[in-house]
Amino acid sequence: MLDLKLIRENPDLIRQKLKARNMSTGTVDSIVQFDVKRREFIGEVEKLKSLRNSVSQEIAKMKKEGSNADEKIADMKKVSDDIKALDDKLAEAENEIDVILRDIPNLADDSVPSGKTSDDNVQFRIWGEKASGDFKYLDHVELGKKLDILDFGVGAKISGSGFPFYKGKGAMLERALINFMLDTHKGNGYTEVFMPFLVNRASMEAAEKVPKFEEDMYRTDPDDLFAIPTAEVPIVNIHRDEIMDAGSFPVKYCGYTACFRREAGSYGKDTKGFLRVHQFNKVELINFCLPEESYVQMEVMLNHACGILEALNIHYRVVNVCTGDMGFAASKQYDIEVWSPAENKWLEASSVSNCTDFQSRRAMIRFKRDKKTEYVHILNGSGLATSRLYVSLIESNQTPEGKIIIPKVLQKYTGFEIIG
RNA sequence: GGAGAGGUGGGUGAGUGGCUCAAACCAACGGUUUGCUAAACCGUCAUAGGGGGUUAACCUCUAUCGAGGGUUCGAAUCCCUCCCUCUCCGCCA
């Protein structure tokens, strides 16, 4: 969430940033108005509470001395009633502010290109070359079927469409990718963690996923637990409600989880095979750092994610995501896209975001410096999601006969060099 | 799932209605003393929000003892609901 004080003191800045995100600016006026009310109520109610505290002391003293305090008690009864009424009004104003605040995204950094849709994203880097064999590239669904390593029909039978099923060497390849990525990131200084895949509502709120995106989440009914849409949620919550040691930054974690997304409202769009799924595997990178370091850390994280693709020799590009296409909590976002020779297009495989203090303010993750408490900056990046990476990998490394050559670095993880 | 115990500041831990709007100790930080180390002594020791201020230091008020309600002039303390942790039993990978 944004800083209420920042909105109060710079409403024009916020309006301008909201416009850049194609959002209406009326919310700013509402917040400012409710904030004025809120502070009025606070002033009034605290004056009354102060009075009550001091008079209660007097009553205690009078009772001890044996004198009659009935009159003061009657007065204070009235004061207490007033306090209760004012507290209710205050809570109402605070709730109104919170409801609006939960709907306002992070402010875009000035280095973010302005634009409305993904078409306005700006290519930032491109690496490698398109697979250019002199034959027709089979797509991953055809390949998977031919080699008997992927069976989307079985996944659909077990769970529904969008739940991939891997088999034999296909399953081993998936496991190899995950292990390779984790080992590489450990080498980059990340602490490996393994964590719950179901989290409580408080954790989802701290990561700013709920209530805004509740429709996109799988939720268990009697326990109100959410299937995580990304490992970002449990990892960010490691330090929730904590004042972190200022000397410890950057604090870096990597971890594998399955990720679950309902993808409500996106039916019929890029639904083939792995292109859009409800469950996928991802190795996530999270970085807690000092505010002044977050944009530098972001470039470092981007390079860590790209390093995986380069080791696997996968053709990719990085785009600087525009204001209109950026994630809710991000102030800046790079998407990494991998090339699919069969689809003849780029597929998003990773997203590296600087969430600045947007999550840490909600999650109360802070550190101390010069006697002051400041909010930590939090970055997240996929390093990477396997599903679309898998598509690019098996498609790009296929032979004219429809076999798949395993990249050198993966061979010690798979235990084989070729599928087919 | 059943039975019991318990949740107090960074940690230990006192506190069953009002000089406790949280004692004491430990840790941490600053200082004094000191050949060095250690010890001793003194001081600081929360978070959030409001108001004031030469808008920095600082002053002041309010809230916070797992969470939320309730009783009361007044709640860490009494009542209700929920959450979590620990121990034992049952079930189970």
Side-chain angles (χ1 to χ4, degrees), chain A residues 159-402:
Chain A
S159 301
S161 81
F163 289 90
F165 180 85
Y166 306 69
K167 190 176 167 188
K169 285 184 174 175
M172 291 162 79
L173 174 59
E174 178 76 355
R175 185 155 57 89
L177 275 171
I178 293 165
N179 284 335
F180 165 62
M181 293 193 282
L182 284 171
D183 282 350
T184 305
H185 292 313
K186 259 188 301 184
N188 288 331
Y190 293 82
T191 302
E192 182 175 345
V193 289
F194 196 85
M195 63 215 101
F197 291 6
L198 295 179
V199 299
N200 56 34
R201 183 172 288 274
S203 292
M204 289 294 274
E205 286 177 345
E208 297 278 3
K209 304 296 179 196
V210 146
K212 180 105 175 144
F213 303 108
E214 188 148 349
E215 292 291 292
D216 285 314
M217 307 300 162
Y218 288 101
R219 191 174 69 86
T220 69
D221 190 32
D223 301 307
D224 202 30
L225 292 171
F226 292 83
I228 52 171
T230 161
E232 173 197 335
V233 177
I235 298 180
V236 162
N237 276 278
I238 293 171
H239 295 292
R240 169 151 55 95
D241 296 322
E242 234 180 69
I243 293 184
M244 296 178 70
D245 177 7
S248 64
F249 299 115
V251 175
K252 295 152 72 183
Y253 296 100
C254 67
Y256 154 77
T257 66
C259 301
F260 304 89
R261 300 183 182 180
R262 291 189 63 231
E263 300 290 349
S266 63
Y267 298 110
K269 224 165 48 177
D270 287 336
T271 50
K272 181 163 73 177
F274 275 135
L275 298 188
R276 187 169 295 279
V277 287
H278 293 305
Q279 178 183 326
F280 60 94
N281 294 312
K282 181 156 65 70
V283 170
E284 182 76 358
L285 307 175
I286 299 287
N287 186 322
F288 298 83
C289 72
L290 295 170
E292 65 271 23
E293 288 176 357
S294 64
Y295 285 99
V296 173
Q297 291 293 331
M298 187 181 186
E299 301 294 325
V300 174
M301 276 178 80
L302 176 67
N303 290 340
H304 288 157
C306 290
I308 298 289
L309 295 173
E310 289 171 21
L312 295 171
N313 195 31
I314 285 178
H315 181 40
Y316 74 87
R317 68 169 191 168
V318 177
V319 296
N320 192 352
V321 177
C322 76
T323 50
D325 194 34
M326 234 176 17
F328 182 70
S331 71
K332 182 172 184 174
Q333 179 179 336
Y334 291 123
D335 279 359
I336 304 174
E337 302 175 337
V338 294
W339 181 254
S340 159
E343 305 296 328
N344 198 41
K345 64 180 179 193
W346 294 105
L347 307 174
E348 186 187 329
S350 169
S351 203
V352 177
S353 301
N354 185 353
C355 294
T356 60
D357 58 2
F358 192 76
Q359 291 173 318
S360 58
R361 185 172 295 107
R362 175 76 67 190
M364 297 292 272
I365 303 173
R366 296 153 295 169
F367 70 100
K368 279 199 180 182
R369 176 157 64 182
D370 301 330
K371 289 187 179 174
K372 283 194 159 179
T373 331
E374 297 181 49
Y375 291 103
V376 168
H377 277 203
I378 303 175
L379 301 101
N380 67 74
S382 0
L384 308 71
T386 58
S387 49
R388 292 165 188 160
L389 169 59
Y390 200 107
V391 171
S392 177
L393 190 143
I394 67 172
E395 287 182 1
S396 305
N397 290 302
Q398 67 183 282
T399 66
E401 303 78 40

Side-chain angles (χ1 to χ4, degrees), chain A residues 34-273:
Chain A
F34 280 120
D35 182 49
V36 169
K37 272 198 195 167
R38 167 181 161 269
R39 284 184 295 154
E40 278 173 16
F41 292 145
I42 288 173
E44 290 176 45
V45 79
E46 288 193 350
K47 218 188 286 172
L48 291 182
K49 282 179 180 173
S50 182
L51 175 69
R52 182 179 67 184
N53 285 344
S54 58
V55 175
S56 286
Q57 296 267 23
E58 290 173 30
I59 291 171
K61 205 178 283 174
M62 290 169 78
K63 288 212 163 186
K64 205 171 220 175
E65 290 165 355
S67 50
N68 188 312
D70 289 353
E71 198 178 319
K72 281 190 193 292
I73 287 173
D75 288 349
M76 286 309 104
K77 195 174 176 57
K78 170 85 172 64
V79 168
S80 276
D81 288 344
D82 291 347
I83 287 172
K84 201 170 284 180
L86 270 169
D87 265 340
D88 287 347
K89 284 163 96 174
L90 173 61
E92 206 177 302
E94 283 179 337
N95 187 52
E96 294 282 359
I97 290 170
D98 191 56
V99 165
I100 302 170
L101 228 39
R102 284 178 185 280
D103 220 35
I104 296 182
N106 200 354
L107 307 178
D109 185 64
D110 289 339
S111 64
V112 172
S114 56
K116 290 198 187 312
T117 69
S118 56
D119 295 335
D120 301 316
N121 296 345
V122 175
Q123 184 170 306
F124 176 74
R125 178 188 301 177
I126 186 160
W127 188 91
E129 282 166 26
K130 292 178 186 176
S132 55
D134 189 19
F135 58 91
K136 183 183 183 303
Y137 280 86
L138 298 178
D139 71 38
H140 74 283
V141 178
E142 296 167 323
L143 266 178
K145 195 169 207 171
K146 181 166 181 284
L147 297 169
D148 197 25
I149 57 171
L150 296 172
D151 193 331
F152 293 96
V154 167
K157 179 164 79 177
I158 298 169
S159 301
S161 81
F163 289 90
F165 180 85
Y166 306 69
K167 190 176 167 188
K169 285 184 174 175
M172 291 162 79
L173 174 59
E174 178 76 355
R175 185 155 57 89
L177 275 171
I178 293 165
N179 284 335
F180 165 62
M181 293 193 282
L182 284 171
D183 282 350
T184 305
H185 292 313
K186 259 188 301 184
N188 288 331
Y190 293 82
T191 302
E192 182 175 345
V193 289
F194 196 85
M195 63 215 101
F197 291 6
L198 295 179
V199 299
N200 56 34
R201 183 172 288 274
S203 292
M204 289 294 274
E205 286 177 345
E208 297 278 3
K209 304 296 179 196
V210 146
K212 180 105 175 144
F213 303 108
E214 188 148 349
E215 292 291 292
D216 285 314
M217 307 300 162
Y218 288 101
R219 191 174 69 86
T220 69
D221 190 32
D223 301 307
D224 202 30
L225 292 171
F226 292 83
I228 52 171
T230 161
E232 173 197 335
V233 177
I235 298 180
V236 162
N237 276 278
I238 293 171
H239 295 292
R240 169 151 55 95
D241 296 322
E242 234 180 69
I243 293 184
M244 296 178 70
D245 177 7
S248 64
F249 299 115
V251 175
K252 295 152 72 183
Y253 296 100
C254 67
Y256 154 77
T257 66
C259 301
F260 304 89
R261 300 183 182 180
R262 291 189 63 231
E263 300 290 349
S266 63
Y267 298 110
K269 224 165 48 177
D270 287 336
T271 50
K272 181 163 73 177

